Amino acid sequence: MTYVVVAVTGVWLFSAQVMVYAATNTVYRDSERAAGLGWVTGVGRTGAVVGPWLIGELAASGNESWGFTTFALAGLGGALAICLVPAARRSGRGGSPAPAPVAANAGS
């Protein structure tokens, strides 16, 4: 049963990260999309490394009961960040299309 739970959780987590990649299309302008995707990927990979390390440190120090609370707080922080995306879009910090480049021979 544990393997089934871990497998299902892994599928959801992997799918969630891929959906975040797909959302960069609606959050970042065309001219910023590559950098935005890099930031999204970097933050995700950092969490993938720091999360297990942090839980290992908690377990090694005898505070393994804080594991759920630690991940719950990280999840709340992520939810808050996602909730701030519409505010960033309204303020003009993302999602609005960049101006089209002007062709060099326009008007010829």
Side-chain angles (χ1 to χ4, degrees), residues 16 26 37 44 57 95 98 108:
T26 61
L37 186 57
E57 287 295 318
S108 305

Side-chain angles (χ1 to χ4, degrees), residues 4-73:
V4 171
V5 170
V6 169
V8 170
T9 303
V11 167
W12 284 336
L13 290 174
F14 179 75
S15 298
Q17 184 65 32
V18 171
M19 291 305 296
V20 170
Y21 295 156
T24 59
N25 186 37
T26 61
V27 176
Y28 293 99
R29 296 181 188 113
D30 289 343
S31 62
E32 301 168 338
R33 196 162 298 143
L37 186 57
W39 274 101
V40 167
T41 304
V43 169
R45 296 299 119 204
T46 301
V49 171
V50 171
W53 169 81
L54 180 59
I55 296 305
E57 287 295 318
L58 287 172
S61 66
N63 295 316
E64 58 273 349
S65 62
W66 281 92
F68 177 80
T69 303
T70 302
F71 279 124
L73 290 173

